[in-house]
């Protein structure tokens, strides 16, 4: 075995290619890169977008001789005021090293702020002027420059902002440069609104220019899913309905809406979490092996899975709302918006016929975690009489304490032939000590710069996902489905556990996975 020590190298060049980029035939790009964060004064930009850009800068992916960053919003502030607002999010701890503090200051000097409206050409003409000046100062040949627009904005302004970008701020010719647009979820409220939004943006930009971001696809353990499934021989014969009894994809938070009740109430837990994050994870668990790692081949297989999902049955949906949710003054007194949902999806194909995929998400529960739990069928001919101890399970813990472990039955040490549940465990904090796992937004922003759309949602993929959930969502909106009250800090409605049992899930009693200590 080699050394167990791991380290991170500082990238010497922005043009560093990933193996996927080489396979896809993407040539390294040169020339100026202008990153425009629209909605620069908002929470998403301050908490996620700018910190992700800073981390890419520190690792050498955004060299200062090529890159400039522009913030754009309606708020009338100066460059220095924006930098001041961002500084605390880039250095959240007071014990930062002198080198990091210096990096922060150098990074902030790359940022320029432009104030303007989202539906008026004046502000975007000024933005284009500032970008062009940066490109000229960097001696970039017109047409070779790259422009990335990150819309950290509510979807309601996407059409007007995209129209302004198309009218005023496009890269001026096709000599090898590009213009790309990153849009955040929620992308619509149902099938019709999502299609209308896609059509409006599609009139302005080609599909290869549009990056619909779902940050779950940037998580380390989600990205590991394809490697685990298709690079390990022993999974290949097991990953089907003959061996797997059920699959759970779970998202749990131990806090409520925390002042975001008014916003959350417009969407609910299915639109906020299940229709996008958890459904994307389901695609990676259930898809067939793609022809290659090219983004289109991977996304083709994901669409096939979504199009194979059967209509959701009424008796396989449980909704909940935690007690106290409507105490938030921004939430309507009569709100029936679910803060918890368990939904069973069934995939009608040769591999997965009869296997329930249980998607479960909730707020104000008794723990915080996100995981994929694949439960295998019982061992036939149980000579050890250990069936009551539980089934084999393959678990991918997405957050917190990232880990991959296999729950299995072993002999309990001692003189007696007795069995006990244990695990084979790959806990990232223990195995990869000293390695910082990148934030999802870092990885995805880097992908947009490289032109890799593998981890972004294609239009037909988005349409297929909304087709699955729109009928249920409309019935919830019309009051036909009522959420069941549950106590904050509980597991959620008891009916959800009953549904899991009915679907075939067997809970293991007496076994708890404990992350290993370093």
């Amino acid at each position: 075995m080699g050394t167990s020590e791991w380290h991170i190298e500082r990238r010497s060049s922005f043009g560093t290619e990933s193996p996927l980029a080489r396979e896809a035939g993407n040539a390294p790009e040169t020339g100026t890169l202008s990153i425009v964060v629209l909605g620069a004064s908002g929470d998403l930009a301050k908490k996620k977008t700018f910190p992700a850009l800073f981390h890419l800068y520190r690792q050498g992916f955004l060299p200062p001789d090529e890159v400039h960053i522009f913030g754009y919003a309606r708020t009338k502030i100066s460059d220095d005021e924006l930098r001041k607002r961002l500084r605390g999010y880039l250095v959240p701890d007071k014990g930062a090293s002198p080198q990091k503090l210096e990096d922060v200051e150098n990074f902030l000097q790359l940022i320029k702020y432009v104030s303007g409206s989202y539906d008026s050409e004046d502000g975007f003409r000024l933005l284009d002027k500032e970008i062009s000046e940066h490109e000229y100062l960097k001696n970039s040949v017109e047409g070779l420059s790259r422009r990335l627009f990150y819309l950290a904005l509510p979807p309601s302004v996407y059409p007007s902002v995209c129209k302004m970008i198309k009218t005023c701020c496009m890269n001026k010719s096709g000599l090898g440069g590009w213009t790309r647009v990153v849009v955040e979820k929620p992308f619509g409220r149902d099938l019709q609104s999502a299609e209308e939004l896609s059509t409006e943006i599609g009139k302005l930009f080609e599909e290869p220019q549009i990056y619909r971001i779902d940050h779950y696809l940037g998580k380390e353990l989600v990205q590991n899913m394809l490697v685990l499934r298709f690079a390990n021989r022993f999974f290949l014969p097991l990953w089907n309905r003959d061996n797997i009894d059920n699959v759970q994809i779970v998202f749990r938070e131990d806090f409520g809406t925390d002042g975001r009740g008014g916003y959350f109430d417009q969407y609910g837990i299915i639109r906020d979490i299940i229709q996008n994050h958890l459904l994307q994870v389901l695609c990676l668990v259930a898809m067939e092996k793609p022809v290659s790692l090219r983004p289109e081949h991977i996304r083709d297989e994901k669409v096939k899975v979504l199009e194979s999902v059967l209509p959701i049955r009424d008796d396989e949906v449980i909704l909940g709302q935690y007690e106290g949710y409507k105490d938030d003054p921004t939430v309507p007194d009569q709100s029936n918006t679910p803060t918890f949902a368990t939904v069973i999806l069934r995939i009608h194909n040769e591999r997965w016929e009869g296997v329930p995929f249980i998607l479960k998400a909730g707020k104000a529960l008794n723990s915080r975690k996100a995981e994929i739990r694949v439960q295998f069928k019982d061992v036939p001919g149980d000579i050890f009489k250990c069936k009551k101890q539980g089934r084999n399970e393959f678990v991918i813990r997405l957050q917190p304490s990232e880990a991959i472990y296999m729950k299995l039955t072993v002999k309990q040490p001692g003189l007696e032939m007795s069995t006990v549940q244990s695990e084979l465990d790959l806990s990232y904090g223990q195995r990869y000590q000293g390695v910082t796992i990148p934030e999802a937004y870092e990885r995805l922003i880097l992908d947009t710069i490289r032109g890799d759309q593998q981890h972004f949602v294609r239009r037909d993929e988005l349409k297929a996902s909304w087709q699955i959930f729109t009928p249920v969502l409309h019935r919830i909106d019309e009051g036909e489905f009522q959420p069941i009250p549950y106590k904050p800090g509980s597991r959620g409605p008891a009916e959800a556990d009953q549904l899991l049992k009915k679907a075939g899930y067997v809970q293991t009693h007496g076994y708890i996975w404990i992350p290993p200590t370093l």
Side-chain angles (χ1 to χ4, degrees):
M1 294 288 290
T3 177
S4 62
E5 295 182 2
W6 295 74
H7 67 281
I8 295 178
E9 292 184 358
R10 187 177 180 88
R11 307 299 188 191
S12 59
S13 169
F14 173 77
T16 302
E17 292 181 89
S18 67
L20 178 58
R22 287 195 295 271
E23 180 179 332
N26 295 338
E29 295 173 328
T30 58
T32 58
L33 172 63
S34 300
I35 301 174
V36 183
V37 181
L38 297 122
S41 59
D43 278 353
L44 175 62
K46 290 186 292 187
K47 294 177 180 178
K48 296 295 184 181
T49 314
F50 281 109
L53 292 171
F54 173 61
H55 292 142
L56 291 174
Y57 167 80
R58 288 199 82 201
Q59 295 175 71
F61 288 112
L62 302 180
D65 59 334
E66 295 179 7
V67 176
H68 209 74
I69 300 169
F70 299 88
Y72 185 94
R74 289 185 292 237
T75 309
K76 296 186 181 300
I77 55 175
S78 65
D79 296 351
D80 287 338
E81 178 60 28
L82 177 63
R83 293 165 184 160
K84 182 179 178 181
R85 293 186 182 189
L86 296 176
R87 189 174 282 107
Y89 293 97
L90 305 182
V91 193
D93 54 320
K94 295 183 179 179
S97 66
Q99 180 60 56
K100 184 173 184 179
L101 293 174
E102 182 181 347
D103 288 345
V104 167
E105 295 308 314
N106 291 336
F107 172 75
L108 290 173
Q109 293 308 308
L110 296 177
I111 298 173
K112 184 170 183 60
Y113 183 75
V114 178
S115 174
S117 169
Y118 294 127
D119 57 3
S120 164
E121 291 189 12
D122 292 344
F124 283 89
R125 295 283 183 203
L126 178 58
L127 176 62
D128 180 65
K129 179 173 176 289
E130 295 288 352
I131 296 173
S132 297
E133 286 181 3
H134 154 66
E135 293 170 348
Y136 176 76
L137 290 173
K138 299 293 184 181
N139 298 315
S140 179
V141 177
E142 185 179 27
L144 286 177
S145 62
R146 296 162 290 162
R147 297 185 177 188
L148 176 63
F149 293 87
Y150 193 111
L151 276 60
L153 296 165
S156 58
V157 300
Y158 287 174
S160 62
V161 169
C162 287
K163 183 178 180 181
M164 291 299 106
I165 293 171
K166 181 70 174 181
T167 303
C168 307
C169 298
M170 297 291 286
N171 180 38
K172 297 302 185 291
S173 73
L175 297 177
W178 45 253
T179 301
R180 293 173 185 153
V181 177
V182 181
V183 292
E184 279 275 357
K185 79 167 187 75
F187 206 83
R189 286 181 49 82
D190 55 14
L191 176 60
Q192 181 180 345
S193 59
E195 277 292 279
E196 288 172 354
L197 198 52
S198 292
T199 298
E200 289 190 69
I201 296 178
K203 290 177 181 176
L204 301 168
F205 298 102
E206 300 292 330
E207 186 66 24
Q209 295 178 289
I210 304 169
Y211 289 72
R212 300 176 190 86
I213 194 169
D214 184 328
H215 76 272
Y216 253 59
L217 292 176
K219 288 184 176 294
E220 181 71 28
L221 272 294
V222 174
Q223 297 213 329
N224 206 346
M225 194 69 233
L226 294 188
V227 180
L228 286 169
R229 285 196 55 200
F230 301 126
N232 295 286
R233 179 63 183 257
F234 68 89
F235 280 126
L236 297 179
L238 297 178
W239 212 259
N240 54 54
R241 63 190 176 93
D242 296 329
N243 299 287
I244 292 174
D245 187 272
N246 60 81
V247 178
Q248 279 194 73
I249 304 172
V250 178
F251 172 92
R252 304 166 65 91
E253 288 183 334
D254 55 3
F255 54 88
T257 52
D258 284 357
R260 293 177 63 249
Y263 170 83
F264 180 85
D265 199 71
Q266 301 174 51
Y267 297 99
I269 199 71
I270 294 178
R271 289 184 174 97
D272 194 40
I273 302 295
I274 296 179
Q275 179 272 336
N276 38 69
H277 300 332
L278 301 195
L279 196 58
Q280 285 293 318
V281 173
L282 178 146
C283 289
L284 298 175
V285 173
M287 64 184 272
E288 298 298 317
K289 181 186 286 188
V291 174
S292 74
L293 290 178
R294 290 176 182 269
E296 295 314 306
H297 290 157
I298 292 172
R299 299 199 292 183
D300 286 345
E301 296 302 331
K302 290 167 67 180
V303 171
K304 290 178 186 178
V305 171
L306 294 172
E307 291 180 341
S308 299
V309 174
L310 296 172
I312 298 170
R313 289 165 30 187
D314 287 3
D315 62 344
E316 295 191 328
V317 179
I318 296 293
L319 305 178
Q321 186 185 90
Y322 68 83
E323 296 172 2
Y325 168 71
K326 288 183 281 194
D327 293 344
D328 186 326
T330 63
V331 174
D333 292 340
Q334 304 304 317
S335 171
N336 73 326
T337 299
T339 61
F340 174 98
T342 296
V343 181
I344 296 178
L345 298 187
R346 298 185 180 274
I347 300 172
H348 181 56
N349 65 18
E350 184 178 6
R351 182 182 293 273
W352 297 115
E353 187 77 39
V355 178
F357 282 76
I358 304 162
L359 308 188
K360 183 166 65 173
K363 291 182 173 292
L365 299 176
N366 60 348
S367 63
R368 172 182 172 264
K369 68 177 179 181
E371 69 179 19
I372 306 163
R373 183 175 295 269
V374 179
Q375 186 171 85
F376 291 86
K377 293 185 176 182
D378 292 322
V379 175
D382 178 20
I383 62 174
F384 293 103
K385 304 296 186 288
C386 58
K387 181 178 178 180
K388 64 180 181 296
Q389 292 181 343
R391 293 170 165 173
N392 294 149
E393 292 182 348
F394 180 63
V395 182
I396 302 176
R397 173 68 73 98
L398 305 178
Q399 66 181 36
S401 306
E402 292 91 344
I404 301 168
Y405 64 94
M406 174 74 83
K407 196 170 72 176
L408 69 171
T409 302
V410 298
K411 177 186 176 298
Q412 188 165 9
L415 297 175
E416 301 297 329
M417 180 55 76
S418 56
T419 59
V420 67
Q421 286 270 312
S422 189
E423 70 281 320
L424 300 175
D425 192 314
L426 169 60
S427 288
Y428 274 49
Q430 183 184 54
R431 179 65 181 89
Y432 303 121
Q433 295 181 37
V435 174
T436 301
I437 295 178
E439 287 290 332
Y441 280 93
E442 293 175 47
R443 192 188 313 272
L444 296 175
I445 290 173
L446 184 59
D447 283 346
T448 64
I449 295 169
R450 288 174 166 169
D452 180 0
Q453 291 188 303
Q454 174 186 341
H455 304 116
F456 296 84
V457 181
R458 200 169 64 190
R459 179 173 177 174
D460 56 342
E461 197 178 338
L462 180 72
K463 180 180 179 180
S465 68
W466 278 118
Q467 285 174 327
I468 294 168
F469 283 101
T470 291
V472 171
L473 289 167
H474 282 176
R475 295 180 67 189
I476 295 171
D477 294 342
E478 293 163 6
E480 294 183 33
F481 277 114
Q482 290 294 325
I484 301 166
Y486 64 93
K487 292 187 178 299
S490 68
R491 285 176 51 84
E495 289 85 347
D497 288 335
Q498 295 166 13
L499 178 60
L500 262 64
K501 186 176 181 180
K502 180 182 175 184
Y505 174 68
V506 177
Q507 187 174 359
T508 302
H509 296 283
Y511 169 87
I512 300 175
W513 176 73
I514 301 174
T517 55
L518 301 181

